Amino acid sequence: MDIMIDDLQGSGVVELLQAHLTDMYATSPAGSVHALDIEGLKHPSITFWCAKQGDLVLGCVAIKQLTPTHGEIKSMRTAAMARNQGVASALLSHILDVANKRGYQQLSLETGTMDYFASARRLYERHQFDYCDPFADYQLDPNSAFMTRLIEH
């Protein structure tokens, strides 16, 4: 598996992100969906990575720089056919390494509180993310769980 910065142009990535948005709107009330569309992921504050095996897209993840020392995980997604194969852990380890190299002191995320998101929350817990209050522009929302991890240098 190769993890590389992606320009959000390939059909495999576009399909994966469309499936991500479809699932987010199917499982969360519209006002509680914080997933970004493709144009939103092209913002200069965001770096987007894709995990591939050859031409096959296995997953994706992005980091949004909130401040020079604080990043946010966005659009973490594993393709259905690649689930339970370590893709999400590899992507998360990759961006933790990137956050460290960038000098971030903290990496945070928002995910859902519904059962659909339980495996994602367990993944973040296994990687030492702790639950926290809303950060950046987020507001308290019963449909959102906020997590953060300090980055040790």
Side-chain angles (χ1 to χ4, degrees):
M1 173 175 43
D2 296 312
I3 299 173
M4 64 207 80
I5 291 177
D6 190 90
D7 63 5
L8 298 147
Q9 300 292 323
S11 61
V13 170
V14 170
E15 290 168 11
L16 183 63
L17 289 170
Q18 287 172 335
H20 180 62
L21 285 172
T22 298
D23 284 348
M24 296 306 98
Y25 282 101
T27 57
S28 300
S32 296
V33 175
H34 302 288
L36 298 173
D37 62 15
I38 291 173
E39 287 308 308
L41 288 167
K42 291 180 180 179
H43 190 274
S45 66
I46 296 174
T47 308
F48 181 86
W49 289 269
C50 182
K52 289 184 176 181
Q53 187 75 46
D55 290 335
L56 187 62
V57 175
L58 305 176
C60 63
V61 67
I63 293 179
K64 178 179 182 180
Q65 183 168 311
L66 300 174
T67 73
T69 60
H70 189 188
E72 178 186 1
I73 297 172
K74 298 296 291 182
S75 298
M76 180 89 160
R77 177 75 176 201
T78 301
M81 54 64 180
R83 293 198 179 131
N84 300 312
Q85 297 177 26
V87 174
S89 288
L91 284 165
L92 189 52
S93 293
H94 178 78
I95 60 170
L96 283 165
D97 185 51
V98 169
N100 185 38
K101 288 177 182 171
R102 288 184 177 182
Y104 290 171
Q105 296 172 1
Q106 186 175 6
L107 193 58
S108 302
L109 64 99
E110 179 276 338
T111 191
T113 57
M114 293 70 109
D115 288 344
Y116 178 84
F117 300 98
S119 61
R121 292 190 308 270
R122 285 192 300 273
L123 171 73
Y124 297 125
E125 290 167 358
R126 282 194 309 271
H127 284 84
Q128 291 85 47
F129 281 81
D130 296 313
Y131 291 91
C132 64
D133 291 331
F135 59 92
D137 295 332
Y138 290 106
Q139 302 296 315
L140 206 54
D141 180 345
N143 299 301
S144 290
F146 303 97
M147 303 179 82
T148 196
R149 176 182 163 163
L150 297 179
I151 306 295
E152 297 180 18
H153 299 279

